[in-house]
Amino acid sequence: MPHAATMSPPLLAREPRHVASSAGLEAIEFGRDALGIDLDPWQEWSIDTALSERADNTWASFEVAIVAPRQNGKNVIAEIIQLASAALFGDQTIVHSAHKVDTALEHYARLRELFETTEELSPLLLARGRSFMTSNGKEQIRLNTGQRILFKARHRGASRGFTGDKVFLDEAFDLDPRSMGSAIPTLTTRPNAQVYYLSSAPHADSAVLHAVRARAAADHPDDRL
């Protein structure tokens, strides 16, 4: 399947190896036709690349990192991949975490609005508003298929809740190396899981994000980043 767009992001752009096809075009079309979201070319490229598949229909990349300035559309990419993963790809558990509680709640509110107002998504909801849980930091969207989208605010040194079919780490400049050191090995044992790092530029002490970028620059043939 051809790539959705040829305009890759500047500075550093890696495409996964051993790609046989991509579910990205399906996700992009879902975003446009079902959600009414028109993407910029770099966003289409990012989704198409992130959802590249190998010949055995597993994701070509285990980790995906998107670093761009604030308010430039990273979370729109996350919205489309998360909702397509729930509605089209059958992911059972999707986790979206952020450093700040307000950031996690804002993403929850946006996805809740899309579920409630989108013809293709609303049939997945439980009756009488039971799909939406909003108490005590346990925000989640539960679907009548048993699937869940969890929204979490991270705490330093805490890696609980980082397990899912797709895990999105928003504000990745603030990730704690100790937490990720225990979370990533656990995720590698989950069949066909993916981890997404979403961030503005790293800070001086953003050890995890600096390490991710260094791995990308090194371009090791066995690294599924």
Side-chain angles (χ1 to χ4, degrees):
M1 182 178 295
H3 284 296
T6 58
M7 185 180 293
S8 62
L11 280 184
L12 179 66
R14 279 186 52 189
E15 297 196 26
R17 295 174 173 84
H18 312 299
V19 172
S21 62
S22 176
L25 289 180
E26 190 176 2
I28 292 165
E29 290 171 357
F30 178 79
R32 182 186 64 241
D33 298 339
L35 307 178
I37 298 175
D38 290 318
L39 298 169
D40 292 335
W42 79 270
Q43 294 172 309
E44 292 188 354
W45 183 91
S46 297
I47 293 173
D48 186 55
T49 303
L51 296 177
S52 294
E53 297 174 291
R54 298 182 290 192
D56 62 359
N57 293 321
T58 58
W59 304 120
S61 297
F62 169 58
E63 294 167 283
V64 176
I66 301 175
V67 180
R70 296 181 183 276
Q71 306 300 320
N72 268 256
K74 296 184 297 294
N75 281 76
V76 173
I77 293 172
E79 289 171 9
I80 290 177
I81 293 177
Q82 289 165 2
L83 294 174
S85 294
L88 305 179
F89 307 148
D91 291 46
Q92 289 299 301
T93 304
I94 298 166
V95 179
H96 186 97
S97 81
H99 167 53
K100 295 180 180 178
V101 173
D102 289 350
T103 306
L105 292 179
E106 183 178 348
H107 196 76
Y108 165 82
R110 170 62 174 161
L111 261 61
R112 175 171 181 166
E113 177 186 9
L114 288 170
F115 267 103
E116 291 180 319
T117 60
T118 301
E119 184 177 348
E120 286 81 355
L121 292 175
S122 55
L124 297 173
L125 298 176
L126 295 165
R128 298 185 298 279
R130 291 183 295 116
S131 279
F132 305 109
M133 298 183 62
T134 59
S135 61
N136 300 323
K138 296 181 180 179
E139 285 76 19
Q140 62 178 278
I141 298 174
R142 300 181 300 168
L143 306 182
N144 56 29
T145 57
Q147 297 166 278
R148 298 183 302 160
I149 305 176
L150 311 179
F151 304 84
K152 297 180 176 293
R154 293 190 300 270
H155 302 284
R156 285 284 185 178
S159 61
R160 291 188 304 172
F162 281 7
T163 300
D165 299 298
K166 284 189 176 65
V167 175
F168 292 77
L169 304 171
D170 198 2
E171 301 177 321
F173 61 80
D174 193 69
L175 287 169
D176 178 30
R178 293 169 299 173
S179 298
M180 299 311 299
S182 59
I184 293 296
T186 300
L187 285 165
T188 60
T189 65
R190 193 177 183 100
N192 210 25
Q194 280 191 309
V195 180
Y196 286 77
Y197 305 91
L198 307 172
S199 187
S200 54
H203 301 174
D205 61 350
S206 300
V208 172
L209 196 55
H210 281 298
V212 167
R213 182 170 168 76
R215 285 169 49 203
D219 199 15
H220 192 281
D222 294 329
D223 193 347
R224 293 177 58 214
L225 169 65

